[in-house]
Amino acid sequence: MAFTYLTNVSLAEAQREYFEHMRKLGFAAGAEMIPVSDACGRVTEKAVYAHISAPHYAASAMDGVALKAMDTFGATETTPVTLSAGRFTVVDTGDPIPSDCDAVIMVEDIVSHENGSITIHAPAAPWQHIRQIGEDVCAGEMILPGGTEITPAAMGAMLAGGVLEVSVLRRPVIGIIPTGDEIVPPCADPKPGDIIEFNSTIFSAMVSGWGATAKTYPIVPDQFDQIRDAVSKAADECDVVLLNAGSSAGREDYSSSVIRQLGEVLYHGIAIKPGKPTILGNVGSTPVLGVPGYPVSGIIVIEQLLRPLIDLWFRRDAGAAEKVKAVLTRPVVSGLKYQEFVRVRMGEVGGRLTASPLARGSGVVTSFMKADGILTVPQGTEGFEAGQEVEVTLLHAPERLRQTLVVIGSHDPLLDELGDLLHQEDPNLFMSSSHVGSMGGIMAVRRGEAHAAGIHLLDTESGAYNISFLKKHFPQGGVHLIRCVGRQQGLMVQKGNPLGITGFADVAKPDLRYVNRQKGSGTRILMDYLCKTEGVDPAAVYGYDREELTHTSVAVQIASDSADAGLGIYSAAQLYDLDFLPICIEEYDLLIPDSAWETPMVRQLIRTLQSDAFRDRLMAMGGYTLDRPGEEIPWMEL
Amino acid sequence: MAFTYLTNVSLAEAQREYFEHMRKLGFAAGAEMIPVSDACGRVTEKAVYAHISAPHYAASAMDGVALKAMDTFGATETTPVTLSAGRFTVVDTGDPIPSDCDAVIMVEDIVSHENGSITIHAPAAPWQHIRQIGEDVCAGEMILPGGTEITPAAMGAMLAGGVLEVSVLRRPVIGIIPTGDEIVPPCADPKPGDIIEFNSTIFSAMVSGWGATAKTYPIVPDQFDQIRDAVSKAADECDVVLLNAGSSAGREDYSSSVIRQLGEVLYHGIAIKPGKPTILGNVGSTPVLGVPGYPVSGIIVIEQLLRPLIDLWFRRDAGAAEKVKAVLTRPVVSGLKYQEFVRVRMGEVGGRLTASPLARGSGVVTSFMKADGILTVPQGTEGFEAGQEVEVTLLHAPERLRQTLVVIGSHDPLLDELGDLLHQEDPNLFMSSSHVGSMGGIMAVRRGEAHAAGIHLLDTESGAYNISFLKKHFPQGGVHLIRCVGRQQGLMVQKGNPLGITGFADVAKPDLRYVNRQKGSGTRILMDYLCKTEGVDPAAVYGYDREELTHTSVAVQIASDSADAGLGIYSAAQLYDLDFLPICIEEYDLLIPDSAWETPMVRQLIRTLQSDAFRDRLMAMGGYTLDRPGEEIPWMEL
């Protein structure tokens, strides 16, 4: 039943062989003439030569008079030379020099007389104060070599040289064919089972950035004949075709046989992860790529195989992407058989660059949006260990990493609001937050991986929050504790409370589907504390082992009737219009290591915590209390 | 007569005060709703939240059957559980999970029976093989903060979250008004005195690259009322107005009084060079910039004052441009009163980065095209010395500098052809050539500033070329001499030889206007040699002191009747259809230092010299002979 791929070729070999194959078939850019004014960023097809010189006439470089230099030879203070009208011409800067003149004398250096003559007290050197023809560019000179990207200044130089149109490499047209019975165009109300087709939008934007033009075709159902007709049409109309498979690996996959019937398939299956089911084929001289349906796989395949194909078209070298060295915060385990691309979040904490692997599910498009870099695990390698130094390909400017506040710890939607306000207050600053629970946050701060951690840890002995945990994990101090919010924790249940839940102990009722949080989260610790104090046996709770990573994702399971109850904060319940049984108000504070304390990011964070804008947002979300946010808690002394 | 500017404010102060002034007047971006599919590269106006969860339904992650996990509890190999049809649902990957089911068992792990029932030999854990609702994004969660540039992946995340339209910051419209009686639209046949208007094309391309929209108005003549009407209209229609003055400083300048009549002028005159006559004003909340007419001044002013204004609109920080340290090859002398921007050509020779100042005339737009970086000389500084380490702002990627063959020496148009072919053969490689004459080339190689130098130096004692000069300047060796071309030198005269010149000695004729080459050039050395051998007194040659830097620029002076004769090569004469009196065939060779000998650039240079394509181009240009080009000449042994 599992699909067997024909090949497991390495990426490097697939690239080399496929590009060579396409080159031999004549895959290369044609040229087109376009107006110079539209040519910014385009690539010259061949060398461009000036048609006229610039300046195209000898011009005065000063305001004054143009004359024959020879007429002024011998002039001195004591033996001035006087020229009658007719032997000179008054010129302004930029005026043409009359053909019988070869020098300009500045207006300051002449004495004018009423009869129209002038007197000169020093000789003019021939060609003084004249801007010579061709000073900028001479007719016939090469302005730009072929294969050169046209800059704004080059546009000016061409127009100065009388070149109004330029032959540039044509942009390749990339045809994108989405396929699949379950695929629907983007909409706000998809039915269960519908898969929203957003790959073509992502791919279009990517190829536009590389200088190509995207052409997206209507969605084609899973029917061999219809897919074949669509590929055949696109191969005629486009320079490259992307056949974007339905994301279901369980359905019959027609892509390979369609391409084989119309042309040839060089590879079906490449040793990369994600992206293995990729097909590299062609119809005539048009490359046809079978791209996997999962967005993350698709992005990787487009980046690794379509982008160099477009570079081949433009005969350009894309250059190596910028790489940096970073310390891996968690191990990455990979299979020997594949080259794997792992999206990582990065941070610069205490002068050290860290890389944290993001969720690896290939359906998770947000992981690409949150990623700061891509870590490549070579084929034949089992992965990397935590603490190992690895090389990461950056997805944005390295300065940005230095300006990003790295928050790792307990989840609360207020962190997103805080990040939004922080960036609004100072557009130089960014925030990146990862949800690993309160204990995960404490550990991240200890390991020097975070500038801040959100924590709400209940000391089940004293009933107090956070302080006893700091005393245990930071006996020497070295961290600051900042007051953030009090937040209402409680039991979220479906709207109208259909199961008639009256208190926490009801979570053990038969037929109640509970949804829990992950180990190490403050809310999980609260759950276990409540089980103990209320005499509930966790083994009796159906769904105790079902773990979600955020308050929001617990709420969404309940709202969509995939669960009946779960512990969480009031703002998450309010977001989904759930009923809420309050249990306690907990202290959600921010932990900040000494090394980050004086950074601009943390300074701005504290100002933002104290701002009215932050207060307004929390009040709108509901379930929060604010008591001197941003104030430091002297936890060592308590 | 000289125009007196009102202010000489420093650039930093002008930026600070003007931007603060405009901010107070309410200069800031509005927002607009646009489809997500058009939003790549745009900036979110405010935070974007998901409307729906993705996935929006619980989906099977496998092909198999969906069922209640509880129904399978207790199943083992020895005590299997059999479920009748109706107690499970067959699902493919991606299919929705029926609401009464909470687990999927893979198709491989079930045994199907003819009566439609199935047998299971292991219990299912609740929620196994189910892709939970909101795994990618939960409804209500923030997808993007405000003020964030939208990437392709972010477009996908928004569509996955049911967001079809997004509020983004509106692109500012930059109105460009060219003014001046002498200004004409780009054309191939300007009349003497016409100045081609290409600034608006350069400025449009620059502002488009910064995310703004350019709107160019028709050229306005130098009439106060017409300029005022144009500015008033543009201030209504646009978000920023650029008033691009006629380039003539001698004509009355209406810009300042027009802006003052319609609004206010904050500064007229800024302490930068080029760019001093800049005007910073406003009409209502619309900034109006008076931009000098010379293209180089204009580019500097647009970069220094319009670009940060656009960044202010988008509330973004442009970030510091990339700077590198380089060794200055020639001194830069600057005035104390101004901050000066000097365009430099850069090269990496022998691992050392060098910066060579380019022509500083502000009319020379090609200098911007040839520039690799900008050197800033601060106000209050007299400049920098040759050999000093300076900081240069790069204009393109630093890798490109490492891949650029730096050729400094004698001019020949064949160098441009060589550079074009080199880049065509290997798109990674570039060539940059500077014309400083043969002796200048030898000195550049000695100082470690060039990978290659074109030289054709006649030993007037022996009549041989180049070798005696190398023996003198490189007594220890350390340089390679590569055969390039033989080229026909001669006297270029006007078409039809109207002065009836019969030989070199005629250059001393009265009424003949000669045009010479610069000192240190091989052609100048030939000139002096010919004067000596033919008994011509240089003082008798009218124009002996008139120096041009290239064969082409000598030819263009003759072709445009600005001179009658000059020494130069046949290909330059042919380019301008001049008559030509042959004098000698000289050896034009390439000098390459040891340090560059094994670089990829020099290896490719030699292959290109030996190519048929190079031969074909030289034959088309005429006047060249090729005898084993690319072969090394064992000069030490000769």
Side-chain angles (χ1 to χ4, degrees):
Chain A
M1 180 91 187
F3 188 83
T4 310
Y5 301 112
L6 300 174
T7 47
N8 190 43
V9 63
S10 77
L11 178 62
E13 189 184 335
Q15 289 170 330
R16 196 174 51 241
E17 295 294 323
Y18 184 55
F19 300 157
E20 187 51 35
H21 179 68
M22 291 317 308
R23 205 197 324 260
K24 280 187 189 147
L25 287 173
F27 177 75
E32 58 182 343
M33 285 297 278
I34 61 168
V36 164
S37 52
D38 296 340
C40 193
R42 302 296 293 268
V43 177
T44 54
E45 181 232 350
K46 55 188 179 199
V48 179
Y49 299 85
H51 296 165
I52 57 175
S53 299
H56 58 279
Y57 60 93
S60 178
M62 293 287 171
D63 297 340
V65 298
L67 39 63
K68 280 195 187 59
M70 217 175 253
D71 290 347
T72 68
F73 288 0
T76 67
E77 281 296 330
T78 50
T79 60
V81 168
T82 295
L83 299 176
S84 56
R87 295 188 61 197
F88 63 89
T89 306
V90 175
V91 287
D92 277 343
T93 305
D95 281 350
I97 303 295
S99 64
D100 58 345
C101 298
D102 65 4
V104 167
I105 298 184
M106 287 193 287
V107 69
E108 297 92 315
D109 295 335
I110 58 175
V111 177
S112 302
H113 305 292
E114 282 194 359
N115 66 356
S117 66
I118 55 169
T119 299
I120 294 150
H121 295 84
W127 300 281
Q128 77 174 22
H129 303 320
I130 291 180
R131 220 181 142 214
Q132 300 281 6
I133 296 170
E135 180 188 305
D136 202 348
V137 62
C138 293
E141 273 185 348
M142 193 185 291
I143 300 178
L144 283 175
T148 304
E149 191 175 315
I150 296 170
T151 61
M155 294 162 78
M158 284 191 277
L159 295 179
V163 177
L164 304 183
E165 290 198 310
V166 59
S167 178
V168 296
L169 300 180
R170 191 166 64 73
R171 292 186 196 280
V173 178
I174 315 296
I176 303 171
I177 308 175
T179 70
D181 291 335
E182 68 279 30
I183 303 296
V184 299
C187 61
D189 52 353
K191 292 190 303 291
D194 285 351
I195 295 178
I196 295 178
E197 198 290 291
F198 52 77
N199 283 354
S200 62
T201 305
I202 299 179
F203 299 166
S204 297
M206 290 172 80
V207 304
S208 299
W210 300 329
T213 302
K215 177 170 183 171
T216 300
Y217 289 86
I219 296 166
V220 182
D222 282 323
Q223 299 293 334
F224 184 90
D225 288 358
Q226 294 191 42
I227 296 175
R228 187 198 53 212
D229 292 351
V231 171
S232 172
K233 181 171 192 280
D236 270 358
E237 296 173 348
C238 305
D239 300 299
V240 180
V241 176
L242 304 181
L243 185 56
N244 196 205
S247 62
S248 165
R251 304 268 167 65
E252 186 147 7
D253 182 347
Y254 295 115
S255 301
S256 166
S257 32
V258 159
I259 302 170
R260 219 177 289 275
Q261 193 181 88
L262 294 171
E264 40 183 341
V265 167
L266 207 64
Y267 296 110
H268 186 186
I270 296 179
I272 54 172
K273 191 178 167 187
K276 178 154 178 50
T278 300
I279 303 165
L280 300 180
N282 59 284
V283 174
S285 66
T286 306
V288 180
L289 277 68
V291 179
Y294 277 123
V296 172
S297 315
I299 292 173
I300 295 283
V301 168
I302 296 286
E303 179 78 39
Q304 297 295 328
L305 288 154
L306 177 61
R307 186 180 191 167
L309 205 55
I310 293 175
D311 290 335
L312 177 68
W313 170 278
F314 283 123
R315 311 173 214 162
R316 74 188 167 202
D317 182 62
E322 184 156 16
K323 289 195 175 189
V324 294
K325 285 190 194 305
V327 176
L328 204 58
T329 62
R330 289 197 298 278
V332 169
V333 180
S334 181
L336 287 170
K337 279 182 70 182
Y338 305 110
Q339 176 176 357
E340 185 163 356
F341 298 94
V342 181
R343 300 168 295 292
V344 296
R345 222 154 197 201
M346 303 186 69
E348 190 180 293
V349 182
R352 197 180 63 141
L353 210 54
T354 58
S356 306
L358 280 159
R360 286 152 89 182
S362 50
V364 182
V365 67
T366 50
S367 75
F368 237 110
M369 201 181 61
K370 287 174 186 157
D372 301 302
I374 304 284
L375 168 65
T376 303
V377 187
Q379 201 173 353
T381 309
E382 288 187 309
F384 300 109
E385 289 167 26
Q388 199 171 340
E389 193 179 70
V390 292
E391 255 198 349
V392 179
T393 305
L394 285 182
L395 293 177
H396 37 235
E399 304 88 69
R400 175 156 168 178
L401 295 180
R402 285 192 285 276
Q403 297 169 333
T404 298
L405 180 79
V406 179
V407 183
I408 301 179
S410 170
H411 171 255
D412 194 298
L414 76 82
L415 292 174
D416 287 339
E417 304 297 332
L418 209 46
D420 185 37
L421 290 170
L422 183 91
H423 182 61
Q424 198 169 302
E425 288 296 318
D426 183 346
N428 293 331
L429 301 183
F430 303 87
M431 185 170 134
S432 124
S433 65
S434 307
H435 315 317
V436 299
S438 294
M439 279 312 298
I442 284 182
M443 294 307 152
V445 167
R446 274 181 54 154
R447 289 192 304 264
E449 293 165 6
H451 297 118
I455 57 171
H456 60 110
L457 287 162
L458 174 63
D459 181 342
T460 53
E461 305 295 314
S462 68
Y465 278 89
N466 299 331
I467 291 172
S468 65
F469 291 84
L470 297 197
K471 290 195 169 162
K472 179 173 169 204
H473 292 286
F474 300 96
Q476 312 297 322
V479 291
H480 301 260
L481 189 64
I482 296 300
R483 213 181 282 284
C484 184
V485 297
R487 61 181 199 178
Q488 181 68 63
Q489 274 273 19
L491 201 60
M492 303 190 280
V493 299
Q494 292 190 12
K495 175 78 172 169
N497 194 1
L499 298 188
I501 295 161
T502 57
F504 175 79
D506 288 350
V507 299
K509 273 189 175 176
D511 292 338
L512 185 143
R513 296 165 301 166
Y514 188 75
V515 53
N516 210 348
R517 289 289 307 281
Q518 85 277 22
K519 289 173 212 63
S521 69
T523 303
R524 175 68 166 261
I525 292 174
L526 176 65
M527 168 72 183
D528 294 342
Y529 173 70
L530 290 171
C531 283
K532 206 162 73 178
T533 54
E534 307 237 349
V536 170
D537 176 9
V541 180
Y542 189 75
Y544 180 84
D545 292 325
R546 181 183 186 183
E547 297 185 351
E548 290 287 335
L549 295 178
T550 67
H551 295 279
T552 331
S553 52
V554 168
V556 80
Q557 307 312 325
I558 298 167
S560 55
D561 193 25
S562 168
D564 299 305
L567 277 183
I569 55 177
Y570 179 81
S571 62
Q574 203 200 25
L575 186 61
Y576 290 93
D577 197 21
L578 300 176
D579 276 15
F580 188 81
L581 286 70
I583 288 175
C584 61
I585 292 185
E586 60 183 14
E587 290 170 26
Y588 183 91
D589 297 324
L590 292 170
L591 181 65
I592 295 167
D594 275 359
S595 63
W597 187 241
E598 293 297 344
T599 59
M601 286 96 77
V602 167
R603 291 298 101 197
Q604 182 58 50
L605 174 72
I606 289 173
R607 282 193 296 274
T608 304
L609 281 171
Q610 295 166 340
S611 69
D612 290 342
F614 179 62
R615 174 175 296 272
D616 292 348
R617 293 227 184 162
L618 289 201
M619 291 306 112
M621 292 166 77
Y624 294 102
T625 55
L626 283 162
D627 179 21
R628 290 164 292 148
E631 187 183 83
E632 186 166 3
I633 300 167
W635 65 272
M636 295 278 284
E637 294 141 38
L638 296 176
Chain B
M1 180 90 188
F3 188 84
T4 310
Y5 300 113
L6 301 173
T7 47
N8 190 44
V9 63
S10 76
L11 177 62
E13 188 183 335
Q15 288 170 331
R16 195 173 52 241
E17 295 295 324
Y18 184 55
F19 299 158
E20 185 52 34
H21 179 68
M22 290 318 309
R23 204 195 326 258
K24 280 188 188 146
L25 287 173
F27 177 76
E32 58 182 343
M33 285 297 277
I34 61 168
V36 164
S37 52
D38 295 342
C40 193
R42 301 295 294 269
V43 176
T44 54
E45 181 232 351
K46 56 188 179 198
V48 179
Y49 298 85
H51 297 166
I52 58 175
S53 299
H56 58 280
Y57 61 93
S60 178
M62 292 288 171
D63 296 341
V65 298
L67 39 63
K68 279 195 186 61
M70 216 175 254
D71 290 347
T72 68
F73 288 0
T76 66
E77 281 295 332
T78 51
T79 60
V81 169
T82 294
L83 299 177
S84 57
R87 294 184 65 194
F88 63 89
T89 306
V90 175
V91 286
D92 275 344
T93 305
D95 281 351
I97 303 295
S99 63
D100 58 344
C101 298
D102 65 5
V104 167
I105 298 185
M106 287 192 287
V107 70
E108 297 92 313
D109 295 338
I110 58 176
V111 176
S112 302
H113 305 292
E114 281 194 0
N115 66 357
S117 65
I118 55 171
T119 298
I120 293 151
H121 295 84
W127 301 283
Q128 77 176 21
H129 303 319
I130 291 180
R131 219 180 142 215
Q132 300 280 5
I133 295 170
E135 180 188 305
D136 201 350
V137 62
C138 293
E141 272 185 349
M142 192 184 291
I143 299 178
L144 282 176
T148 304
E149 192 176 315
I150 296 170
T151 61
M155 295 163 79
M158 284 191 277
L159 294 180
V163 177
L164 304 184
E165 290 198 310
V166 59
S167 178
V168 296
L169 300 180
R170 191 166 64 73
R171 293 186 195 280
V173 178
I174 315 296
I176 303 171
I177 308 175
T179 70
D181 292 335
E182 68 279 30
I183 303 296
V184 299
C187 61
D189 53 353
K191 293 190 301 291
D194 285 352
I195 294 178
I196 294 178
E197 199 290 293
F198 52 77
N199 283 354
S200 62
T201 304
I202 299 179
F203 299 167
S204 296
M206 290 173 79
V207 304
S208 299
W210 300 329
T213 302
K215 178 171 183 171
T216 300
Y217 289 86
I219 295 165
V220 182
D222 282 323
Q223 298 294 335
F224 184 90
D225 288 358
Q226 293 192 42
I227 296 175
R228 187 198 53 211
D229 293 350
V231 172
S232 172
K233 181 169 191 281
D236 270 358
E237 296 174 347
C238 305
D239 300 300
V240 179
V241 176
L242 304 181
L243 185 54
N244 196 205
S247 63
S248 163
R251 304 269 168 64
E252 187 147 5
D253 181 349
Y254 295 116
S255 301
S256 166
S257 31
V258 159
I259 302 171
R260 217 177 289 276
Q261 194 183 86
L262 295 171
E264 39 184 340
V265 167
L266 206 65
Y267 296 109
H268 186 186
I270 297 179
I272 54 172
K273 191 178 167 186
K276 178 154 178 51
T278 300
I279 303 166
L280 300 180
N282 59 285
V283 174
S285 65
T286 306
V288 180
L289 276 67
V291 179
Y294 277 124
V296 172
S297 316
I299 292 173
I300 294 282
V301 168
I302 296 286
E303 179 79 39
Q304 297 296 327
L305 289 154
L306 177 61
R307 186 180 190 166
L309 205 54
I310 292 175
D311 290 335
L312 178 68
W313 170 279
F314 282 122
R315 309 173 214 161
R316 74 186 167 202
D317 182 62
E322 185 157 14
K323 289 194 176 191
V324 294
K325 285 192 196 302
V327 176
L328 205 58
T329 62
R330 290 197 297 279
V332 169
V333 179
S334 180
L336 287 169
K337 280 182 71 182
Y338 305 110
Q339 176 177 356
E340 185 164 358
F341 298 93
V342 181
R343 298 168 297 291
V344 296
R345 220 152 200 205
M346 304 186 68
E348 192 180 291
V349 181
R352 197 179 64 141
L353 210 55
T354 58
S356 307
L358 281 159
R360 285 153 89 182
S362 49
V364 182
V365 67
T366 50
S367 74
F368 238 110
M369 203 181 59
K370 288 173 186 157
D372 302 301
I374 303 284
L375 168 66
T376 303
V377 187
Q379 202 173 350
T381 310
E382 288 186 311
F384 300 109
E385 290 166 27
Q388 200 171 338
E389 192 178 71
V390 292
E391 256 198 350
V392 179
T393 305
L394 285 182
L395 294 177
H396 37 235
E399 304 87 68
R400 176 158 167 175
L401 295 179
R402 284 192 286 277
Q403 297 168 333
T404 299
L405 179 79
V406 179
V407 183
I408 302 179
S410 171
H411 171 255
D412 194 299
L414 75 82
L415 292 173
D416 288 337
E417 303 298 332
L418 209 46
D420 184 36
L421 290 171
L422 183 90
H423 182 59
Q424 199 170 302
E425 288 297 318
D426 183 347
N428 293 331
L429 301 183
F430 304 86
M431 184 171 134
S432 123
S433 66
S434 306
H435 315 316
V436 298
S438 295
M439 279 310 299
I442 284 183
M443 294 305 153
V445 167
R446 274 181 55 152
R447 289 193 304 264
E449 293 166 5
H451 298 118
I455 58 170
H456 60 110
L457 286 161
L458 174 63
D459 182 343
T460 52
E461 303 297 314
S462 67
Y465 278 89
N466 299 331
I467 291 172
S468 66
F469 291 85
L470 296 198
K471 290 197 169 160
K472 179 173 169 203
H473 292 287
F474 301 95
Q476 312 297 322
V479 291
H480 302 260
L481 189 64
I482 296 300
R483 214 181 282 283
C484 185
V485 297
R487 60 182 200 177
Q488 181 67 62
Q489 274 272 17
L491 201 60
M492 302 189 280
V493 299
Q494 292 190 12
K495 175 79 174 168
N497 195 1
L499 298 187
I501 295 162
T502 57
F504 176 79
D506 288 351
V507 299
K509 272 188 176 177
D511 292 338
L512 184 144
R513 297 165 301 165
Y514 188 75
V515 53
N516 210 346
R517 289 287 308 281
Q518 84 278 20
K519 288 173 214 64
S521 68
T523 303
R524 175 67 164 262
I525 292 174
L526 176 66
M527 168 72 183
D528 294 342
Y529 174 71
L530 290 171
C531 284
K532 209 163 70 181
T533 53
E534 308 238 351
V536 171
D537 176 8
V541 179
Y542 189 76
Y544 180 85
D545 293 324
R546 182 182 186 184
E547 297 183 353
E548 290 288 335
L549 296 179
T550 67
H551 293 278
T552 330
S553 53
V554 168
V556 79
Q557 306 312 323
I558 298 167
S560 54
D561 192 25
S562 168
D564 299 305
L567 277 182
I569 55 177
Y570 179 81
S571 63
Q574 202 200 25
L575 187 59
Y576 290 93
D577 197 21
L578 300 176
D579 277 16
F580 186 81
L581 286 68
I583 289 175
C584 61
I585 291 186
E586 59 182 16
E587 291 169 25
Y588 183 90
D589 298 325
L590 292 169
L591 182 65
I592 294 167
D594 275 358
S595 64
W597 186 241
E598 293 296 344
T599 59
M601 287 95 77
V602 167
R603 291 297 102 198
Q604 181 59 50
L605 174 72
I606 289 173
R607 280 193 296 275
T608 305
L609 281 170
Q610 295 167 341
S611 69
D612 289 343
F614 179 61
R615 174 175 296 270
D616 291 348
R617 292 226 184 163
L618 289 202
M619 291 306 114
M621 292 165 78
Y624 294 102
T625 54
L626 283 162
D627 179 21
R628 290 165 290 150
E631 187 182 84
E632 186 166 3
I633 301 168
W635 63 273
M636 295 278 285
E637 294 141 38
L638 297 176

